[in-house]
Amino acid sequence: MTGALAPSKPMTAADRCDRCGAQAYVRAVLTGGGDLLFCAHHGRKFSEALRSNGADIHDETDRLIETPTAVVDD
């Protein structure tokens, strides 16, 4: 992120890709206001073009490789 815009809240499983409807991991905050959400695939596809047009990219694709914590059963 460039820091020019206020940080946005973390994405959740309810956030969906504006292109295909899969879970979103990339948010592009547009210079004119508003944002676009993308899955990892479409985030990679469109991020560079959006960034070159001034969008601020928030990428959470690193969450795809996190190991979930185990639930302890009492």
Side-chain angles (χ1 to χ4, degrees):
M1 287 180 54
T2 63
L5 301 171
S8 54
K9 63 182 178 178
M11 288 175 270
T12 68
D15 292 313
R16 311 313 284 180
C17 176
D18 289 328
R19 187 75 173 136
C20 70
Q23 185 173 347
Y25 290 95
V26 178
R27 173 181 279 122
V29 180
L30 307 175
T31 56
D35 60 3
L36 296 170
L37 299 177
F38 296 108
C39 63
H41 166 77
H42 287 112
R44 283 189 300 273
K45 184 174 181 178
F46 299 119
S47 286
E48 193 55 43
L50 288 163
R51 187 176 285 119
S52 68
N53 283 302
D56 201 21
I57 306 298
H58 180 106
D59 187 338
E60 294 184 12
T61 55
D62 57 325
R63 292 177 35 217
L64 289 167
I65 57 172
E66 290 179 357
T67 304
T69 57
V71 176
V72 178
D73 225 6
D74 290 336

